[in-house]
Amino acid sequence: MGPRNGTRQRSAATLTFMPFRIVADNMRSPDISGGPLFFEVELWPHKSMTPEGFVAMIGGSFAMLCIPLVGLLGTAALWGILPFALGVVALLWLSLKRSLKDRNIHEHLTVTSDTATLIRRDPNGTTRDWACNPYWVRVEMHDKVGAIKDYLTLEGGERRVEIGSFLTPEERRLLRQRLLGVLGAVKSS
């Protein structure tokens, strides 16, 4: 019983850091669920730094910067170097906070037999949405757009939208295959 619980904890921790999660999926077996076809997926950028890691990074950097200052205790030189050491820690703090804020993106794709909807929340809090009849949606994979390899877009309605630009190329290919299956199930029903 002990190893089984440990396995569950590891798999739960692994799921926490995955950049996308399928919330609901009855596209493969709609007769089991008894309801209409429905698929829902959430996507977000991978965030490798936890709050505990942030504290450890700032604390460790401060401690390392204090080591050379120990030899300067009681001298006037300490007051000349101390502002620069504190400035380095402050810049590191601001840089890490900005990086965490810039990665605060969330995409939510819902596909039913009637509509496909993509809602994106940007780091500044604005929300953008796109909706289309799923029968007309095309999933396009572009070799490279700017710095993004295997760029994934959804085309339908009046415009083309990107999805999962923050995912790795492998994750975008997996997402593309899943979306093609989902949209194929909608079109065949």
Coordinates of all heavy atoms in Angstrom, one line a residue, residues 48-130:
S48 N 8.3 26.3 -14.5 CA 9.2 25.4 -13.8 C 9.6 25.9 -12.4 O 10.0 25.1 -11.5 CB 10.5 25.1 -14.6 OG 11.2 26.4 -14.8
M49 N 9.4 27.2 -12.2 CA 9.7 27.7 -10.9 C 8.5 27.8 -10.0 O 7.5 28.5 -10.3 CB 10.4 29.1 -11.0 CG 10.8 29.7 -9.6 SD 11.8 31.2 -9.7 CE 13.3 30.5 -10.2
T50 N 8.6 27.1 -8.9 CA 7.5 27.1 -7.9 C 7.7 28.3 -7.0 O 8.8 28.9 -6.9 CB 7.5 25.8 -7.1 OG1 8.8 25.7 -6.4 CG2 7.4 24.6 -8.0
P51 N 6.7 28.6 -6.1 CA 7.0 29.7 -5.2 C 8.1 29.4 -4.2 O 8.9 30.3 -3.8 CB 5.6 29.8 -4.4 CG 4.6 29.3 -5.4 CD 5.3 28.2 -6.2
E52 N 8.3 28.1 -3.8 CA 9.4 27.7 -3.0 C 10.7 27.9 -3.7 O 11.7 28.3 -3.1 CB 9.2 26.3 -2.5 CG 8.0 26.0 -1.6 CD 6.7 25.8 -2.4 OE1 6.8 25.6 -3.7 OE2 5.7 25.8 -1.8
G53 N 10.7 27.6 -5.0 CA 11.9 27.8 -5.8 C 12.3 29.3 -5.9 O 13.5 29.6 -5.9
F54 N 11.3 30.1 -6.0 CA 11.5 31.6 -6.1 C 12.2 32.1 -4.8 O 13.2 32.8 -4.8 CB 10.2 32.3 -6.3 CG 10.3 33.8 -6.3 CD1 10.7 34.5 -7.4 CD2 10.0 34.5 -5.2 CE1 10.8 35.8 -7.5 CE2 10.1 35.9 -5.2 CZ 10.5 36.6 -6.3
V55 N 11.7 31.6 -3.6 CA 12.2 32.0 -2.3 C 13.7 31.5 -2.2 O 14.6 32.2 -1.8 CB 11.3 31.5 -1.2 CG1 12.0 31.7 0.2 CG2 10.0 32.2 -1.2
A56 N 13.9 30.2 -2.6 CA 15.2 29.6 -2.5 C 16.2 30.4 -3.4 O 17.4 30.6 -3.0 CB 15.2 28.2 -2.9
M57 N 15.8 30.8 -4.6 CA 16.7 31.5 -5.6 C 17.0 32.9 -5.0 O 18.2 33.3 -5.0 CB 16.0 31.7 -6.9 CG 16.8 32.4 -7.9 SD 18.1 31.3 -8.4 CE 18.9 32.3 -9.6
I58 N 16.1 33.6 -4.5 CA 16.4 34.9 -3.9 C 17.2 34.8 -2.7 O 18.2 35.5 -2.5 CB 15.1 35.7 -3.6 CG1 14.3 36.0 -4.9 CG2 15.3 37.0 -2.9 CD1 15.0 36.9 -5.9
G59 N 16.9 33.9 -1.8 CA 17.6 33.7 -0.5 C 19.0 33.2 -0.8 O 20.0 33.7 -0.2
G60 N 19.2 32.3 -1.7 CA 20.5 31.8 -2.1 C 21.4 32.8 -2.7 O 22.6 32.9 -2.4
S61 N 20.8 33.6 -3.6 CA 21.6 34.7 -4.2 C 22.0 35.7 -3.2 O 23.2 36.2 -3.2 CB 20.7 35.4 -5.3 OG 20.4 34.5 -6.3
F62 N 21.1 36.1 -2.3 CA 21.5 37.0 -1.2 C 22.6 36.5 -0.3 O 23.5 37.2 0.0 CB 20.2 37.4 -0.4 CG 20.5 38.4 0.7 CD1 20.7 39.7 0.4 CD2 20.6 37.9 2.0 CE1 21.0 40.6 1.5 CE2 20.8 38.8 3.1 CZ 21.0 40.2 2.8
A63 N 22.5 35.2 0.0 CA 23.5 34.6 0.9 C 24.9 34.6 0.2 O 25.9 34.9 0.8 CB 23.1 33.2 1.3
M64 N 24.9 34.2 -1.1 CA 26.1 34.2 -1.9 C 26.8 35.6 -2.0 O 28.0 35.7 -2.0 CB 25.9 33.6 -3.2 CG 25.5 32.1 -3.2 SD 26.7 31.2 -2.2 CE 27.2 30.0 -3.4
L65 N 25.9 36.6 -2.2 CA 26.4 38.0 -2.3 C 26.9 38.5 -0.9 O 27.8 39.4 -0.9 CB 25.4 38.9 -2.8 CG 25.1 38.8 -4.3 CD1 23.9 39.5 -4.7 CD2 26.3 39.3 -5.1
C66 N 26.4 37.9 0.2 CA 26.9 38.4 1.5 C 28.2 37.8 1.9 O 28.9 38.3 2.7 CB 25.8 38.0 2.6 SG 24.4 39.1 2.5
I67 N 28.6 36.6 1.3 CA 29.9 36.0 1.7 C 31.1 37.0 1.5 O 31.8 37.1 2.5 CB 30.0 34.7 0.9 CG1 29.0 33.6 1.4 CG2 31.5 34.1 1.1 CD1 29.0 32.4 0.6
P68 N 31.2 37.6 0.4 CA 32.4 38.5 0.3 C 32.3 39.8 1.2 O 33.3 40.4 1.5 CB 32.4 39.0 -1.2 CG 31.4 38.1 -1.9 CD 30.5 37.5 -0.9
L69 N 31.0 40.1 1.6 CA 30.9 41.3 2.4 C 31.3 41.1 3.8 O 31.5 42.0 4.6 CB 29.4 41.8 2.3 CG 28.9 42.2 1.0 CD1 27.4 42.6 1.0 CD2 29.7 43.4 0.4
V70 N 31.4 39.8 4.3 CA 31.7 39.5 5.6 C 33.1 40.1 5.9 O 33.4 40.6 7.0 CB 31.7 38.0 5.9 CG1 32.3 37.6 7.3 CG2 30.3 37.5 5.8
G71 N 34.0 40.0 5.0 CA 35.4 40.5 5.2 C 35.4 42.0 5.3 O 36.4 42.6 5.7
L72 N 34.4 42.6 4.8 CA 34.4 44.1 4.8 C 33.6 44.7 6.0 O 33.5 45.9 6.1 CB 33.7 44.6 3.5 CG 34.4 44.2 2.2 CD1 33.6 44.7 1.0 CD2 35.8 44.8 2.2
L73 N 33.1 43.8 6.9 CA 32.4 44.4 8.1 C 33.3 45.3 8.9 O 34.5 45.0 9.2 CB 31.9 43.2 9.0 CG 30.8 42.4 8.5 CD1 30.5 41.2 9.4 CD2 29.5 43.2 8.3
G74 N 32.7 46.4 9.3 CA 33.4 47.4 10.1 C 34.3 48.4 9.3 O 35.0 49.2 9.8
T75 N 34.3 48.3 7.9 CA 35.1 49.2 7.1 C 34.2 50.1 6.3 O 33.0 49.8 6.1 CB 36.0 48.4 6.1 OG1 35.1 47.7 5.2 CG2 36.9 47.4 6.8
A76 N 34.7 51.1 5.8 CA 33.9 52.1 5.0 C 33.6 51.5 3.6 O 32.6 51.9 3.0 CB 34.7 53.4 4.8
A77 N 34.4 50.5 3.2 CA 34.2 49.9 1.9 C 32.9 49.1 1.8 O 32.3 49.0 0.8 CB 35.4 49.0 1.5
L78 N 32.4 48.6 3.0 CA 31.2 47.9 3.0 C 30.0 48.8 2.5 O 29.2 48.3 1.7 CB 30.9 47.4 4.5 CG 29.5 46.8 4.7 CD1 29.4 45.4 4.0 CD2 29.2 46.6 6.1
W79 N 30.0 50.0 2.9 CA 29.0 50.9 2.5 C 29.0 51.3 1.1 O 28.0 51.7 0.5 CB 29.0 52.2 3.4 CG 28.7 51.8 4.9 CD1 29.6 51.8 5.9 CD2 27.5 51.3 5.4 NE1 29.0 51.3 7.0 CE2 27.7 51.0 6.8 CE3 26.2 51.1 4.9 CZ2 26.7 50.5 7.6 CZ3 25.2 50.6 5.7 CH2 25.5 50.3 7.0
G80 N 30.2 51.2 0.5 CA 30.3 51.4 -1.0 C 29.8 50.2 -1.8 O 29.3 50.4 -2.9
I81 N 30.0 49.0 -1.3 CA 29.6 47.8 -2.1 C 28.2 47.3 -1.8 O 27.5 46.8 -2.6 CB 30.7 46.7 -1.8 CG1 32.0 47.2 -2.3 CG2 30.3 45.4 -2.4 CD1 33.2 46.2 -2.0
L82 N 27.7 47.6 -0.6 CA 26.4 47.1 -0.1 C 25.3 47.5 -1.1 O 24.4 46.7 -1.4 CB 26.2 47.5 1.3 CG 24.9 46.9 2.0 CD1 25.0 45.4 2.0 CD2 24.7 47.5 3.3
P83 N 25.2 48.8 -1.5 CA 24.1 49.2 -2.4 C 24.1 48.4 -3.7 O 23.0 48.0 -4.2 CB 24.3 50.6 -2.6 CG 25.2 51.1 -1.5 CD 26.0 49.9 -1.1
F84 N 25.3 48.1 -4.2 CA 25.3 47.3 -5.5 C 24.9 45.9 -5.2 O 24.2 45.3 -6.1 CB 26.7 47.4 -6.1 CG 27.1 48.7 -6.5 CD1 27.9 49.5 -5.7 CD2 26.6 49.3 -7.7 CE1 28.3 50.8 -6.1 CE2 26.9 50.6 -8.1 CZ 27.8 51.3 -7.3
A85 N 25.2 45.3 -4.1 CA 24.8 43.9 -3.8 C 23.3 43.8 -3.6 O 22.7 42.9 -4.2 CB 25.6 43.4 -2.6
L86 N 22.8 44.8 -2.9 CA 21.3 44.8 -2.7 C 20.6 45.1 -4.1 O 19.5 44.6 -4.3 CB 20.9 45.8 -1.7 CG 21.4 45.5 -0.3 CD1 21.1 46.6 0.7 CD2 20.8 44.2 0.2
G87 N 21.2 45.9 -4.9 CA 20.7 46.2 -6.2 C 20.6 45.0 -7.1 O 19.6 44.8 -7.8
V88 N 21.6 44.1 -7.0 CA 21.6 42.8 -7.8 C 20.4 42.0 -7.3 O 19.7 41.4 -8.1 CB 22.9 42.1 -7.6 CG1 22.9 40.7 -8.1 CG2 24.0 42.9 -8.3
V89 N 20.2 41.8 -6.0 CA 19.1 41.0 -5.5 C 17.8 41.6 -5.9 O 16.9 40.9 -6.3 CB 19.2 40.9 -4.0 CG1 18.0 40.2 -3.4 CG2 20.5 40.1 -3.6
A90 N 17.7 42.9 -5.9 CA 16.4 43.6 -6.3 C 16.1 43.4 -7.7 O 15.0 43.1 -8.1 CB 16.5 45.1 -6.0
L91 N 17.1 43.5 -8.6 CA 16.9 43.3 -10.0 C 16.6 41.8 -10.3 O 15.7 41.5 -11.2 CB 18.2 43.7 -10.8 CG 18.4 45.1 -11.0 CD1 19.8 45.4 -11.7 CD2 17.3 45.8 -11.8
L92 N 17.2 40.9 -9.6 CA 16.8 39.5 -9.8 C 15.4 39.2 -9.4 O 14.6 38.5 -10.1 CB 17.8 38.6 -8.9 CG 17.5 37.1 -9.0 CD1 17.7 36.6 -10.4 CD2 18.4 36.4 -8.0
W93 N 15.0 39.8 -8.2 CA 13.6 39.7 -7.8 C 12.6 40.3 -8.8 O 11.7 39.6 -9.2 CB 13.4 40.5 -6.5 CG 12.0 40.6 -5.9 CD1 11.0 41.3 -6.4 CD2 11.6 39.9 -4.7 NE1 9.9 41.1 -5.6 CE2 10.2 40.2 -4.6 CE3 12.2 39.1 -3.8 CZ2 9.5 39.8 -3.5 CZ3 11.4 38.6 -2.8 CH2 10.1 39.0 -2.6
L94 N 12.9 41.4 -9.3 CA 12.0 42.0 -10.3 C 12.0 41.2 -11.6 O 10.9 41.1 -12.2 CB 12.4 43.5 -10.6 CG 12.2 44.5 -9.5 CD1 12.8 45.8 -9.8 CD2 10.8 44.6 -9.1
S95 N 13.1 40.7 -12.1 CA 13.2 39.9 -13.3 C 12.4 38.6 -13.2 O 11.6 38.3 -14.1 CB 14.6 39.6 -13.6 OG 15.4 40.7 -13.8
L96 N 12.5 37.9 -12.0 CA 11.8 36.7 -11.8 C 10.3 37.0 -11.7 O 9.5 36.2 -12.3 CB 12.3 36.0 -10.6 CG 13.7 35.4 -10.7 CD1 14.1 34.8 -9.4 CD2 13.7 34.3 -11.8
K97 N 9.9 38.0 -11.0 CA 8.5 38.4 -10.9 C 7.9 38.7 -12.3 O 6.8 38.3 -12.6 CB 8.3 39.6 -10.0 CG 8.3 39.2 -8.5 CD 7.1 38.3 -8.2 CE 7.0 38.3 -6.7 NZ 5.9 37.4 -6.3
R98 N 8.6 39.4 -13.1 CA 8.2 39.8 -14.5 C 8.0 38.5 -15.3 O 7.1 38.4 -16.1 CB 9.1 40.8 -15.1 CG 8.9 41.1 -16.6 CD 7.5 41.8 -16.7 NE 7.1 42.0 -18.0 CZ 7.3 43.1 -18.7 NH1 7.8 44.2 -18.2 NH2 6.9 43.2 -20.0
S99 N 9.0 37.6 -15.2 CA 9.0 36.4 -16.0 C 7.8 35.6 -15.6 O 7.1 35.0 -16.5 CB 10.2 35.6 -15.8 OG 10.2 34.4 -16.4
L100 N 7.5 35.5 -14.3 CA 6.3 34.7 -13.9 C 5.0 35.3 -14.4 O 4.1 34.7 -14.8 CB 6.3 34.6 -12.3 CG 7.3 33.7 -11.7 CD1 7.3 33.8 -10.2 CD2 7.1 32.3 -12.1
K101 N 4.9 36.7 -14.4 CA 3.7 37.4 -14.8 C 3.5 37.2 -16.3 O 2.4 37.0 -16.8 CB 3.9 38.9 -14.5 CG 2.6 39.6 -14.9 CD 2.7 41.1 -14.6 CE 1.5 41.8 -15.1 NZ 1.7 43.1 -15.5
D102 N 4.6 37.2 -17.1 CA 4.5 37.1 -18.6 C 4.1 35.7 -18.9 O 3.6 35.5 -20.0 CB 5.9 37.4 -19.2 CG 6.2 38.9 -19.2 OD1 5.3 39.7 -18.9 OD2 7.3 39.2 -19.5
R103 N 4.3 34.7 -18.1 CA 3.9 33.3 -18.4 C 2.4 33.0 -17.9 O 2.0 31.9 -17.9 CB 4.8 32.3 -17.7 CG 6.3 32.5 -18.0 CD 6.7 32.1 -19.4 NE 6.7 30.7 -19.5 CZ 6.7 30.1 -20.7 NH1 6.9 30.8 -21.8 NH2 6.7 28.8 -20.8
N104 N 1.7 34.0 -17.4 CA 0.4 33.9 -16.9 C -0.6 34.0 -18.1 O -1.4 34.9 -18.2 CB 0.1 34.9 -15.9 CG -1.2 34.6 -15.1 OD1 -1.6 33.5 -15.1 ND2 -1.7 35.6 -14.4
I105 N -0.6 32.9 -18.9 CA -1.5 32.8 -20.1 C -2.3 31.6 -19.9 O -1.9 30.6 -19.4 CB -0.6 32.7 -21.4 CG1 0.3 33.9 -21.6 CG2 -1.6 32.5 -22.6 CD1 1.3 33.7 -22.7
H106 N -3.6 31.7 -20.3 CA -4.5 30.6 -20.2 C -5.3 30.5 -21.4 O -5.9 31.5 -21.8 CB -5.3 30.7 -18.9 CG -6.2 29.5 -18.6 ND1 -7.5 29.4 -19.1 CD2 -5.9 28.4 -18.0 CE1 -8.0 28.3 -18.7 NE2 -7.1 27.6 -18.0
E107 N -5.4 29.3 -22.1 CA -6.3 29.1 -23.2 C -7.2 28.0 -22.9 O -6.9 27.0 -22.3 CB -5.4 28.7 -24.5 CG -4.6 29.9 -25.0 CD -3.8 29.5 -26.2 OE1 -3.7 28.4 -26.6 OE2 -3.2 30.5 -26.7
H108 N -8.5 28.2 -23.3 CA -9.5 27.2 -23.0 C -10.3 26.9 -24.3 O -10.9 27.8 -24.9 CB -10.5 27.8 -22.0 CG -11.4 26.9 -21.4 ND1 -11.3 26.3 -20.2 CD2 -12.6 26.3 -21.9 CE1 -12.3 25.5 -19.9 NE2 -13.1 25.5 -21.0
L109 N -10.2 25.7 -24.8 CA -10.9 25.3 -26.1 C -12.0 24.4 -25.7 O -11.8 23.4 -25.0 CB -9.9 24.7 -27.0 CG -10.5 24.1 -28.3 CD1 -11.0 25.3 -29.2 CD2 -9.5 23.2 -29.0
T110 N -13.2 24.7 -26.2 CA -14.4 23.9 -26.1 C -14.9 23.5 -27.4 O -15.1 24.4 -28.3 CB -15.4 24.6 -25.2 OG1 -14.9 25.0 -24.0 CG2 -16.6 23.7 -25.0
V111 N -15.2 22.3 -27.7 CA -15.8 21.8 -29.0 C -17.0 21.0 -28.6 O -17.0 20.0 -27.9 CB -14.8 21.0 -29.8 CG1 -15.4 20.5 -31.1 CG2 -13.5 21.7 -30.1
T112 N -18.1 21.4 -29.2 CA -19.4 20.7 -29.1 C -19.8 20.4 -30.5 O -19.2 20.8 -31.5 CB -20.5 21.5 -28.4 OG1 -20.8 22.6 -29.2 CG2 -20.0 21.9 -27.0
S113 N -20.9 19.7 -30.7 CA -21.4 19.4 -32.0 C -21.9 20.7 -32.7 O -22.0 20.7 -34.0 CB -22.5 18.4 -32.0 OG -23.5 18.8 -31.1
D114 N -22.1 21.8 -32.0 CA -22.6 23.0 -32.6 C -21.6 24.1 -32.8 O -21.6 24.9 -33.7 CB -23.8 23.6 -31.7 CG -24.9 22.7 -31.6 OD1 -25.1 21.9 -32.6 OD2 -25.7 22.7 -30.6
T115 N -20.6 24.1 -31.9 CA -19.6 25.3 -31.9 C -18.3 24.9 -31.3 O -18.2 24.0 -30.5 CB -20.2 26.5 -31.1 OG1 -19.3 27.6 -31.3 CG2 -20.4 26.2 -29.7
A116 N -17.3 25.5 -31.9 CA -15.9 25.4 -31.3 C -15.5 26.8 -30.8 O -15.7 27.8 -31.5 CB -14.9 25.0 -32.4
T117 N -15.1 26.9 -29.5 CA -14.8 28.2 -28.9 C -13.5 28.1 -28.3 O -13.1 27.2 -27.5 CB -15.9 28.5 -27.8 OG1 -17.2 28.4 -28.4 CG2 -15.7 29.9 -27.2
L118 N -12.7 29.2 -28.5 CA -11.3 29.3 -27.9 C -11.3 30.6 -27.2 O -11.6 31.7 -27.7 CB -10.2 29.3 -29.0 CG -8.8 29.5 -28.5 CD1 -8.4 28.4 -27.6 CD2 -7.8 29.7 -29.6
I119 N -11.0 30.6 -25.9 CA -10.9 31.8 -25.0 C -9.5 31.8 -24.5 O -9.0 30.9 -24.0 CB -11.9 31.7 -23.9 CG1 -13.4 31.6 -24.4 CG2 -11.8 32.9 -23.0 CD1 -14.4 31.4 -23.4
R120 N -8.9 33.0 -24.7 CA -7.5 33.2 -24.3 C -7.4 34.4 -23.3 O -7.9 35.4 -23.6 CB -6.6 33.5 -25.5 CG -5.1 33.7 -25.1 CD -4.3 34.1 -26.3 NE -3.0 34.7 -25.9 CZ -1.9 34.0 -26.1 NH1 -1.8 32.9 -26.6 NH2 -0.8 34.6 -25.7
R121 N -6.8 34.1 -22.1 CA -6.6 35.2 -21.2 C -5.1 35.5 -21.2 O -4.2 34.7 -21.0 CB -7.0 34.7 -19.8 CG -6.9 35.9 -18.8 CD -7.1 35.4 -17.3 NE -5.9 34.8 -16.9 CZ -5.8 33.6 -16.3 NH1 -6.9 32.9 -16.1 NH2 -4.6 33.1 -16.0
D122 N -4.8 36.7 -21.5 CA -3.4 37.2 -21.7 C -2.8 37.6 -20.3 O -3.6 37.8 -19.3 CB -3.3 38.4 -22.6 CG -3.6 38.0 -24.1 OD1 -3.1 36.9 -24.4 OD2 -4.3 38.7 -24.8
P123 N -1.5 37.8 -20.2 CA -0.9 38.2 -18.9 C -1.4 39.5 -18.3 O -1.5 39.6 -17.1 CB 0.6 38.3 -19.2 CG 0.8 37.5 -20.4 CD -0.5 37.5 -21.2
N124 N -1.9 40.4 -19.2 CA -2.4 41.7 -18.6 C -3.8 41.6 -18.2 O -4.4 42.6 -17.8 CB -2.2 42.8 -19.7 CG -2.9 42.5 -21.0 OD1 -3.6 41.6 -21.1 ND2 -2.7 43.4 -21.9
G125 N -4.4 40.4 -18.3 CA -5.8 40.2 -17.9 C -6.9 40.3 -19.0 O -8.0 40.0 -18.7
T126 N -6.5 40.8 -20.2 CA -7.5 40.9 -21.3 C -7.9 39.5 -21.7 O -7.1 38.6 -21.7 CB -6.9 41.7 -22.4 OG1 -5.8 41.1 -23.0 CG2 -6.6 43.1 -22.0
T127 N -9.1 39.4 -22.2 CA -9.6 38.1 -22.7 C -9.9 38.3 -24.2 O -10.6 39.3 -24.6 CB -10.8 37.7 -21.9 OG1 -10.5 37.6 -20.5 CG2 -11.4 36.4 -22.4
R128 N -9.5 37.3 -25.0 CA -9.8 37.3 -26.4 C -10.6 36.0 -26.7 O -10.2 34.9 -26.1 CB -8.6 37.4 -27.3 CG -7.9 38.7 -27.1 CD -6.7 38.8 -28.0 NE -5.6 38.0 -27.5 CZ -4.5 37.7 -28.1 NH1 -4.4 38.0 -29.4 NH2 -3.5 37.0 -27.6
D129 N -11.6 36.0 -27.5 CA -12.3 34.8 -27.8 C -12.6 34.6 -29.3 O -12.5 35.6 -30.1 CB -13.6 34.7 -27.0 CG -14.6 35.9 -27.3 OD1 -14.1 36.9 -27.8 OD2 -15.8 35.7 -27.1
W130 N -12.8 33.4 -29.7 CA -13.0 33.0 -31.1 C -14.0 31.9 -31.1 O -14.0 31.0 -30.2 CB -11.7 32.6 -31.7 CG -11.8 31.9 -33.0 CD1 -11.9 32.5 -34.3 CD2 -11.9 30.5 -33.3 NE1 -11.9 31.6 -35.2 CE2 -11.9 30.4 -34.7 CE3 -11.8 29.4 -32.5 CZ2 -12.0 29.1 -35.3 CZ3 -11.9 28.1 -33.1 CH2 -11.9 28.0 -34.5

